[in-house]
Amino acid sequence: MKEAGISLGFSLSYLVGFVFSLAVFARAMGGLDFKGLASGAVRSALCAAAMGAVVASFPGLHVLLRAAAGAVVYVLLARFACPVEWNLSRKLWNRSDT
């Protein structure tokens, strides 16, 4: 499978590690809201898909400009599509400044 096999192997190993870490974290926390977690992941994935569409739609632009445009689109969409996660990240960001 060449490079695709290496990519597949890394992807599967990270997926297994993520699931294991999530299970350990859920047990330590006494349970997790998996419905809310899945909802946030879907909303974040939609923001990422829109970011990818913006980046792919300007093939003639310099790569840094495309990346900047994609980042702006992602942040703006995430601000309104994921308000709970946005507020939590702002609290964490402000707490790290002190």
Side-chain angles (χ1 to χ4, degrees):
M1 289 180 68
K2 299 182 183 177
E3 294 89 5
I6 293 172
S7 297
L8 179 64
F10 274 116
S11 296
L12 290 175
S13 67
Y14 280 112
L15 179 64
V16 168
F18 169 74
V19 169
F20 178 75
S21 298
L22 186 62
V24 169
F25 181 72
R27 185 172 181 194
M29 296 302 295
L32 288 178
D33 177 21
F34 286 105
K35 184 178 179 183
L37 186 64
S39 171
V42 167
R43 286 182 278 137
S44 181
L46 291 174
C47 294
M51 176 187 69
V54 167
V55 169
S57 64
F58 297 109
L61 235 62
H62 191 273
V63 66
L64 292 177
L65 292 175
R66 290 182 359 209
V72 167
V73 166
Y74 183 87
V75 168
L76 288 175
L77 287 175
R79 168 68 178 98
F80 297 106
C82 308
V84 173
E85 292 85 354
W86 182 267
N87 289 332
L88 288 173
S89 64
R90 282 188 51 211
K91 285 180 184 177
L92 288 173
W93 184 273
N94 291 336
R95 191 170 62 177
S96 68
D97 289 342
T98 59

